[in-house]
Amino acid sequence: LSSGVCCCCAALRPRYKRLVDNIFPEDPKDGLVKADMEKLTFYAVSAPEKLDRIGAYLAERLSRDVVRHRYGYVLIAMEALDQLLMACHSQSIKPFVESFLHMVAKLLESGEPKLQVLGTNSFVKFANIEEDTPSYHRRYDFFVSRFSAMCHSCDQDPEIQTEIRIAGIRGIQGVVRKTVNDELRATIWEPQHMDKIVPSLLFNMQKIEDVDSRIGPPSSPTGGEKDENPAVLAENCFRELLGRATYGNMNNAVRPVFAHLDHHRLWDPNEFAVSCFKIIMYSIQAQYSHHVIQEILGHLDARKRDSPRVRAGIIQVLLEAVAIAAKGSIGPTVLEVFNTLLKHLRISVDFELGDRRSSAGSATFSTSSKESDERIVQNAIIQTIGFFGSNLPDYQRSEIMMFIMGKVPVFGITSQSLDTSHLGDLGTRRIQIMLLRSLLMVTSGYKATAITNALPAPFLDPLLSPSLMEDSELRQLVLEVLHNLIDRHDNRAKLRGIRIIPDVSDLKIKRDKISRQDVSFMKKHGQQLYRHIYLGCKEDDNVQKNFELLYTSLALITIELANEEVVIDLIRLAIALQDIAIINEDNLPMFNRCGVMALVAAYLNFLSQMIAVPAFCQHVSKVIETRSLEAPYFLPETIFKDKCNLPKSLEKHEKNLFFLTNKIAESLGGSGYSVERLSVPYVPQVTDEDRLSRRKSIVDTVSIQVDILPGNHMEDKTDNTEEITFEALKKAIDNNGLEEQEKEKRRLVIEKFQKAPFEEIAAQCETKANLLHDRLAQILELTIRPPPSPSGTMTITAGHAHYQSVPVYEMKFPDLCVY
């Protein structure tokens, strides 16, 4: 007999042993004796209490056959075990399972690949069996360790290596399935198990050559794999593992991924790392996404001293993760993500500047290389911030906009939560630029129904502060952010580039009726917007892009926020900008002066066509036509060319080259506009932003044309009947310096404009205008006799010095009107 006992002794053996012995043929090549196997199965089902003895005896025979290398009988024993497992599901199967697992362990411990594969196949079949009751004592520590070791097989034969690795992966998959269906499934999620399972799967998921290729050639798919590939199988198992993870064990499954990527240096390049975390984010339940993001942020903190490319690789992985998580539930990690990224942005700038300082005397190549690597980190952070923010819901995006804006360092304020005190001016500027770039990406595509939602006061004030910085790039970024928030109908692309538009209707501008909320916003904050546009035009480092963005700002305000009152304010602002170039109190370069003139021409051309007042359009068109013939450098198409001949001065230009307030007032007044305020020149407000932004104080350069102080009447001035020309006034302003008394008077006037109610200012201005009217009438009666003419009218010119412009008053008889 195959059992090795005589016939007499065999007759005295227990029945279950005789039934087991009968299933083994004399020649193992004949395979399992099916008839006797059916008898053994029937006996096991009829007497389940004998299952444990049947299992123990089969295990004894299998162990003996393994030692004797009788692999044919080993195959028969495992086949019998499999059939018994599939047939018996009673509670008495528990002891039998212990014998089965012991036999599987024996096979896995053997050095024979075929036996390892055989044991794995049997274990997988067992894993798919749903047991009636859970096992409270069974553990799979050995199988986790053994299957994980098989996943790293480095057999010299590529086919055998692939076969063993596939068996190890399938074994891990079986362990996962068996344990998660058990009430004690939490044991598989313990760190000691995850630290073996996850790296084993990742090792086989790598698409590049195996890291241990020095031991043997890389594995490749062959026909013997039965169309199975270790990488594909490992990825499926990894997805299944993550899909079964719950709130309490999610972190244990993710942390070994970081250890594997660190150990094998897979952050740079990070293609595999990105692929892994895409699998993770798409496999886990959506409500657990924030766990993964928190782990990435924590690992970024842990590796903050690593090379820039490693940090950039981690940040790019974070970008992919938040891109997926932003569409679903991201939990409480929104601000944590931004706070951590901004902190690492500061760290990167610190490293960059530190390397620059420490290597000041070393080779320039290494320095530039380090700076370039840090720029990669910074760009990755900005891209992540922007992408994450732009995918958030509107209510969260508003909070993030406020959060980022609160991090922007401002000169003169030390209470910023993003500490840049040790970075110096250069580092602070770098932080400002990068934060504004991040804010620009966050605001991209943001569409608020009411402008007050997009630009609340706590956000608008700090946003506009950098627009006063003496840095053209900062001012450009602020204007671009402003465009993102104001442009609610995607008109910005149609306005790109500063130019004279022949027919604005061709642009097909989209606009809605101005809402009450928008009107209220402009009453409260319109002067802030005008002020920053005005001061932005006075910066001497402006380039073409600055003028283009300033023009776009005016155009978007016109489209989105302009009612009749705002239109008048915008015209006053445009005339004030023109006066900047004419008077040139700030000693701007000639290019900037011509650029401002071109900006005003382009904007008034746009505005006149938008409000469609024929007389206004005619005046603007006539000035532009005259400029194209006599002063083309006052038009954007000429001044912003690479080679443009600039004039030596602007003092000798005729007034037909300028947009005149009185002409505009005549044209708009005939169309029903209230043009009284056009006679009051625009004066920007003075705030603490000038000090905080480290630019020169506007108080030193701004004077007020309309004097509203008591006791300063026209009677105190000496009568002068000779003609007062622009040249005379300019010479007087240039030659007569401001005395201390005059400065104090102007300071009081400015304070009056800031604090007094608008109605009071308007009333005092009207009183002053009446006094001026009466006095001029007296002068005309005494010194001028009108010549005979068909209309009975005569025009004279008068004026007085003010901070920027020389107003022209047209007096017509017999009714005297001041425009």
Side-chain angles (χ1 to χ4, degrees):
L1 294 175
S2 60
S3 59
V5 295
C6 62
C7 296
C8 296
C9 295
L12 301 175
R13 293 166 64 85
R15 184 181 179 186
Y16 73 90
K17 287 189 176 182
R18 296 198 304 270
L19 292 173
V20 169
D21 291 338
N22 291 338
I23 66 174
F24 291 93
E26 293 185 4
D27 187 355
K29 294 181 181 180
D30 295 337
L32 181 68
V33 180
K34 295 183 178 181
D36 291 326
M37 187 63 215
E38 291 177 358
K39 295 178 182 179
L40 177 62
T41 303
F42 179 78
Y43 176 76
V45 172
S46 302
E49 68 278 3
K50 300 293 185 178
L51 266 176
D52 59 332
R53 300 182 183 182
I54 295 174
Y57 185 61
L58 276 172
E60 178 185 343
R61 288 199 53 139
L62 183 136
S63 299
R64 184 170 63 246
D65 292 335
V66 169
V67 172
R68 296 175 181 178
H69 301 284
R70 300 170 64 178
Y71 298 139
Y73 289 123
V74 173
L75 295 175
I76 294 173
M78 292 306 302
E79 184 179 355
L81 285 169
D82 293 342
Q83 292 189 23
L84 289 174
L85 278 174
M86 299 300 294
C88 305
H89 292 164
S90 66
Q91 295 182 3
S92 302
I93 200 175
K94 300 303 178 186
F96 177 76
V97 170
E98 298 301 325
S99 300
F100 167 78
L101 293 178
H102 177 69
M103 287 182 280
V104 172
K106 284 286 185 181
L107 297 179
L108 297 178
E109 286 178 338
S110 68
E112 181 62 35
K114 292 183 178 179
L115 295 185
Q116 295 178 359
V117 174
L118 177 63
T120 301
N121 294 336
S122 294
F123 182 84
V124 171
K125 294 177 182 178
F126 163 71
N128 292 328
I129 296 176
E130 295 185 6
E131 300 182 49
D132 296 335
T133 57
S135 173
Y136 294 98
H137 63 280
R138 189 184 307 153
R139 297 186 63 88
Y140 298 94
D141 300 18
F142 168 79
F143 296 99
V144 170
S145 301
R146 189 58 194 161
F147 288 136
S148 299
M150 292 170 62
C151 290
H152 293 84
S153 174
C154 296
D155 195 279
Q156 295 183 356
D157 188 339
E159 294 186 8
I160 294 178
Q161 179 190 104
T162 301
E163 188 176 12
I164 294 177
R165 289 188 179 184
I166 290 176
I169 297 169
R170 295 179 66 239
I172 289 177
Q173 194 173 30
V175 172
V176 172
R177 290 177 179 176
K178 192 63 178 175
T179 52
V180 296
N181 290 330
D182 198 310
E183 291 185 6
L184 297 180
R185 58 186 177 275
T187 57
I188 196 62
W189 299 105
E190 294 176 358
Q192 63 266 29
H193 298 321
M194 288 291 105
D195 291 343
K196 298 174 183 177
I197 292 175
V198 173
S200 300
L201 298 177
L202 296 178
F203 177 78
N204 287 275
M205 286 168 57
Q206 290 177 237
K207 304 297 182 181
I208 59 175
E209 289 186 354
D210 294 338
V211 293
D212 293 328
S213 58
R214 61 186 183 278
I215 299 176
S219 59
S220 58
T222 61
E225 295 178 12
K226 298 180 181 179
D227 297 329
E228 285 186 322
N229 183 288
V232 176
L233 190 61
E235 180 178 330
N236 293 335
C237 182
F238 189 52
R239 291 180 184 274
E240 183 177 349
L241 175 68
L242 294 169
R244 297 174 183 270
T246 60
Y247 178 85
N249 48 49
M250 174 59 62
N251 294 341
N252 290 341
V254 175
R255 286 171 185 166
V257 178
F258 295 103
H260 179 82
L261 297 175
D262 289 342
H263 179 71
H264 293 282
R265 300 178 180 178
L266 295 175
W267 295 113
D268 178 33
N270 67 338
E271 287 81 3
F272 180 70
V274 170
S275 175
C276 285
F277 278 92
K278 281 185 176 180
I279 292 173
I280 292 173
M281 297 303 294
Y282 282 117
S283 300
I284 62 176
Q285 300 180 46
Q287 63 267 30
Y288 303 146
S289 298
H290 63 279
H291 280 289
V292 180
I293 296 176
Q294 285 176 328
E295 290 296 323
I296 300 175
L297 293 173
H299 195 69
L300 181 60
D301 286 336
R303 304 299 298 271
K304 64 183 179 181
R305 297 291 178 183
D306 280 30
S307 67
R309 292 188 175 273
V310 170
R311 286 182 281 127
I314 299 175
I315 294 169
Q316 289 171 358
V317 167
L318 178 64
L319 171 62
E320 298 294 337
V322 298
I324 299 171
K327 298 297 185 181
S329 173
I330 51 179
T333 60
V334 178
L335 292 180
E336 183 182 353
V337 170
F338 288 98
N339 195 39
T340 302
L341 289 174
L342 295 178
K343 178 180 68 175
H344 283 275
L345 187 62
R346 182 191 58 78
I347 292 174
S348 178
V349 173
D350 193 12
F351 285 161
E352 179 185 357
L353 298 179
D355 291 338
R356 182 180 301 177
R357 289 190 293 265
S358 62
S359 57
S362 61
T364 57
F365 175 77
S366 60
T367 304
S368 61
S369 177
K370 290 181 179 179
E371 290 181 5
S372 175
D373 289 346
E374 289 296 343
R375 294 293 176 91
I376 294 175
V377 176
Q378 295 159 15
N379 290 334
I381 292 175
I382 292 171
Q383 187 180 9
T384 303
I385 290 175
F387 193 87
F388 191 15
S390 62
N391 282 278
L392 290 174
D394 287 346
Y395 72 94
Q396 282 188 323
R397 201 192 304 200
S398 299
E399 294 178 359
I400 295 306
M401 288 159 49
M402 297 281 291
F403 180 77
I404 296 176
M405 202 65 243
K407 295 287 186 178
V408 177
V410 178
F411 293 109
I413 294 182
T414 58
S415 61
Q416 295 293 320
S417 54
L418 193 64
D419 183 22
T420 59
S421 57
H422 66 287
L423 297 179
D425 291 352
L426 180 60
T428 301
R429 176 187 176 276
R430 292 274 299 142
I431 292 292
Q432 289 171 332
I433 289 177
M434 286 183 287
L435 289 179
L436 288 175
R437 287 176 56 194
S438 304
L439 187 62
L440 180 63
M441 296 189 67
V442 171
T443 55
S444 177
Y446 182 61
K447 298 291 188 300
T449 54
I451 197 66
T452 52
N453 297 332
L455 290 171
F459 176 75
L460 181 62
D461 294 337
L463 172 65
L464 293 179
S465 293
S467 70
L468 301 179
M469 301 287 184
E470 293 181 337
D471 188 293
S472 62
E473 186 176 358
L474 279 173
R475 300 196 300 273
Q476 292 172 12
L477 290 171
V478 171
L479 290 174
E480 289 180 312
V481 171
L482 199 62
H483 297 170
N484 280 346
L485 298 174
I486 295 179
D487 183 19
R488 292 171 288 179
H489 296 88
D490 297 323
N491 292 312
R492 184 174 34 171
K494 304 170 185 177
L495 302 170
R496 184 173 292 119
I498 180 171
R499 64 196 187 279
I500 303 297
I501 303 174
D503 189 354
V504 174
S505 61
D506 293 340
L507 300 180
K508 297 181 180 180
I509 298 294
K510 297 179 181 178
R511 62 186 306 189
D512 293 330
K513 184 179 179 180
I514 308 301
S515 65
R516 295 177 60 184
Q517 294 91 335
D518 293 345
V519 172
S520 176
F521 172 84
M522 289 304 292
K523 287 183 177 180
K524 292 181 180 179
H525 305 291
Q527 293 300 323
Q528 284 181 272
L529 298 177
Y530 306 150
R531 159 188 165 81
H532 287 269
I533 293 174
Y534 177 85
L535 296 178
C537 290
K538 297 179 68 173
E539 298 293 345
D540 56 7
D541 62 339
N542 281 339
V543 295
Q544 178 179 350
K545 184 176 181 181
N546 290 89
F547 289 112
E548 290 179 352
L549 294 174
L550 289 166
Y551 162 76
T552 304
S553 300
L554 290 168
L556 289 177
I557 293 174
T558 304
I559 296 171
E560 298 286 349
L561 303 170
N563 58 3
E564 180 178 328
E565 182 179 350
V566 174
V567 167
I568 298 299
D569 286 336
L570 289 170
I571 294 175
R572 293 174 58 219
L573 175 61
I575 298 300
L577 294 177
Q578 178 179 256
D579 293 340
I580 290 177
I582 297 174
I583 304 302
N584 195 26
E585 287 186 343
D586 296 277
N587 296 320
L588 295 175
M590 185 57 67
F591 168 80
N592 294 68
R593 297 173 69 183
C594 294
V596 172
M597 298 290 281
L599 165 65
V600 173
Y603 173 64
L604 289 181
N605 171 72
F606 176 82
L607 176 63
S608 63
Q609 296 185 56
M610 288 296 294
I611 63 177
V613 176
F616 186 23
C617 293
Q618 184 178 2
H619 172 63
V620 172
S621 300
K622 184 177 180 180
V623 173
I624 292 175
E625 182 179 356
T626 305
R627 287 185 178 187
S628 63
L629 297 175
E630 301 180 13
Y633 39 79
F634 283 170
L635 298 177
E637 288 81 0
T638 302
I639 186 60
F640 295 125
K641 288 183 178 179
D642 293 336
K643 295 181 180 180
C644 175
N645 295 324
L646 299 174
K648 295 182 179 180
S649 66
L650 303 183
E651 284 73 14
K652 296 182 180 180
H653 286 84
E654 299 295 334
K655 65 178 183 179
N656 58 357
L657 293 176
F658 306 136
F659 301 98
L660 303 178
T661 304
N662 61 321
K663 296 289 187 181
I664 297 175
E666 285 182 7
S667 62
L668 294 180
S671 297
Y673 279 81
S674 178
V675 296
E676 290 79 8
R677 288 189 301 120
L678 282 178
S679 61
V680 181
Y682 169 76
V683 178
Q685 298 174 344
V686 181
T687 67
D688 289 337
E689 290 176 343
D690 302 286
R691 175 181 59 81
L692 299 180
S693 60
R694 298 177 66 175
R695 75 189 303 275
K696 57 188 175 181
S697 176
I698 192 173
V699 178
D700 296 335
T701 59
V702 172
S703 302
I704 303 301
Q705 178 186 10
V706 181
D707 188 359
I708 61 173
L709 288 179
N712 186 25
H713 299 302
M714 290 293 296
E715 289 82 359
D716 298 334
K717 297 188 178 179
T718 304
D719 293 343
N720 192 348
T721 57
E722 67 180 81
E723 183 180 11
I724 302 176
T725 64
F726 173 82
E727 291 294 329
L729 290 173
K730 185 66 169 63
K731 183 181 296 184
I733 293 173
D734 294 337
N735 295 335
N736 299 329
L738 296 175
E739 299 178 357
E740 292 299 326
Q741 184 178 0
E742 185 71 14
K743 290 184 179 180
E744 178 64 17
K745 182 187 69 174
R746 290 172 179 172
R747 187 189 67 78
L748 293 174
V749 171
I750 293 172
E751 185 176 353
K752 186 76 173 179
F753 265 100
Q754 287 180 323
K755 297 182 179 179
F758 177 79
E759 293 77 9
E760 178 183 343
I761 296 175
Q764 294 187 15
C765 290
E766 184 178 0
T767 302
K768 178 61 67 175
N770 292 334
L771 290 173
L772 178 62
H773 182 282
D774 297 339
R775 182 57 179 162
L776 288 177
Q778 294 173 8
I779 295 173
L780 291 173
E781 289 178 359
L782 295 174
T783 60
I784 300 178
R785 296 293 183 270
S789 64
S791 60
T793 64
M794 177 181 178
T795 301
I796 66 172
T797 302
H800 60 278
H802 64 97
Y803 76 105
Q804 280 186 328
S805 64
V806 180
V808 178
Y809 298 90
E810 289 189 359
M811 273 61 75
K812 295 186 178 182
F813 296 93
D815 296 324
L816 182 63
C817 299
V818 181
Y819 292 91

